[in-house]
Amino acid sequence: MTTVAAPILSARLSLTPETTLVGQLDGAWWPESRDLEAELPPLIDALEGRFGRITRVTVNPTRWPVVPHEVPVTGHAVHVGWFTEQDPDKMILLSYAVGRCDLLVIPPETEPAAAARLMTAAAIPGSILTAGVLMSDETATGLRMRDARSSEDTWETDGGSAPPPLRHPAVGARMIPLRGTPRR
């Protein structure tokens, strides 16, 4: 009997460069799904080179339908906890070596352009923006972009044409000669 191994997922991850500047976040993670058991192992593998052995992860359960108590990763198990007080868009990872790594968690259904903007913003060294602020800013940006596209689409589909050229203000106006100026 032949068994087929489960596909190995790669982590879509953006980290702040190593620097002395300390910010609210250490980067961003864009998981493929909301399945922590499937998504955490590749994330942990990608982070352990920089942060050391990750032992614990905390999340807010509002974004994860199932929060397992423990997830097996390469060589050990990671304990998973949840706190409703924690920012729903943030994941905290704890390690023996570095201590703590805070990541913005970008929802799996996010459009690639929005995810790219969020990953870049979360990886700015020394940034004071929190995960919640970044997500609400991106929501506002997305709405503005959709509105702009909608206006342009309406323009293109309603037979829009260029507005008539503006008339020169003097054309058709009554000219009053001033004293001392010659008439032409």
Side-chain angles (χ1 to χ4, degrees):
M1 179 172 148
T2 306
T3 58
V4 177
I8 297 174
L9 299 174
S10 63
R12 298 185 292 184
L13 183 64
S14 174
L15 297 174
T16 56
E18 293 191 40
T19 179
T20 56
L21 295 173
V22 178
Q24 290 288 323
L25 297 168
D26 297 299
W29 175 49
W30 185 24
E32 301 275 347
S33 71
R34 294 196 183 273
D35 181 356
L36 274 175
E37 284 192 271
E39 297 290 341
L40 274 180
L43 174 64
I44 302 293
D45 287 344
L47 291 173
E48 285 190 343
R50 179 167 170 185
F51 294 98
R53 183 177 217 167
I54 306 291
T55 58
R56 291 194 175 281
V57 172
T58 64
V59 297
N60 184 315
T62 59
R63 300 287 197 255
W64 303 97
V66 175
V67 179
H69 294 290
E70 197 172 79
V71 174
V73 298
T74 307
H76 66 288
V78 173
H79 298 278
V80 181
W82 56 268
F83 297 96
T84 55
E85 298 84 16
Q86 182 173 319
D87 186 330
D89 299 307
K90 181 169 84 172
M91 174 180 283
I92 300 171
L93 300 102
L94 304 172
S95 79
Y96 288 128
V98 174
R100 179 174 166 161
C101 170
D102 291 21
L103 295 178
L104 167 69
V105 179
I106 300 168
E109 62 276 3
T110 303
E111 294 177 5
R117 285 189 299 272
L118 286 164
M119 292 181 93
T120 300
I124 295 173
S127 175
I128 60 169
L129 299 177
T130 64
V133 168
L134 287 173
M135 291 302 291
S136 64
D137 285 355
E138 180 55 40
T139 299
T141 298
L143 289 173
R144 284 192 307 272
M145 291 176 74
R146 277 190 290 283
D147 288 347
R149 279 194 305 264
S150 176
S151 295
E152 187 176 307
D153 290 346
T154 300
W155 173 261
E156 294 296 327
T157 59
D158 74 353
S161 62
L166 294 174
R167 292 181 33 192
H168 188 278
V171 173
R174 198 170 87 173
M175 303 298 282
I176 303 172
L178 298 175
R179 274 189 275 158
T181 50
R183 286 185 124 187
R184 295 186 191 190

